[in-house]
């Protein structure tokens, strides 16, 4: 979990520093109703006790995954969009 939180912190720092596209407001805005902003996700991720990371969760397609897997998947998904869309358009 700490690894995922550190990766999320990295992106929250790096994207605005390097590309100046995302303001504090944009990083804090929810992308869609019912979705969390990266800052909200980070606050939640950092507060999850280590002993809860192995808790099973059922995904939207009825697969059972650990909470740690869901956290890592969220960060990987965000990194994918940053690398493919945001960073690609700024280099």
């Amino acid at each position: 979990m700490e690894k995922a939180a550190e990766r999320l912190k990295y992106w929250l720092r790096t994207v605005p520093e390097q590309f100046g596209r995302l303001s504090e407001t944009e990083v804090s805005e929810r992308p869609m109703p019912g979705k969390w902003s990266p800052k909200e996700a980070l606050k939640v991720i950092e507060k999850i006790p280590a002993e809860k990371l192995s808790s099973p969760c059922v995904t939207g397609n009825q697969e059972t995954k650990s909470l740690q897997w869901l956290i890592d998947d969220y960060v990987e998904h965000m990194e994918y969009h940053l690398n493919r869309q945001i960073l690609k358009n700024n280099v």
Side-chain angles (χ1 to χ4, degrees), residues 7 10-11 14-15 18-19 75-91:
R7 287 169 43 210
Y10 167 80
W11 286 109
T14 302
V15 170
Q18 297 225 348
F19 300 99
V75 175
E76 286 173 20
H77 182 79
M78 187 198 67
E79 288 173 334
Y80 170 82
H81 285 289
L82 286 169
N83 283 314
R84 300 285 289 200
Q85 296 172 0
I86 297 171
L87 300 184
K88 181 180 177 183
N89 293 332
N90 286 297
V91 287

Side-chain angles (χ1 to χ4, degrees), residues 22-53:
L22 298 178
S23 67
E24 177 69 21
T25 301
E26 289 171 312
V27 173
S28 300
E29 285 180 1
R30 291 180 172 200
M32 295 174 17
K35 300 287 183 179
W36 290 0
S37 73
K39 277 192 97 166
E40 289 174 309
L42 179 59
K43 287 180 183 179
V44 171
I45 288 170
E46 288 185 317
K47 292 181 180 176
I48 298 171
E51 63 272 10
K52 298 290 185 186
L53 295 173

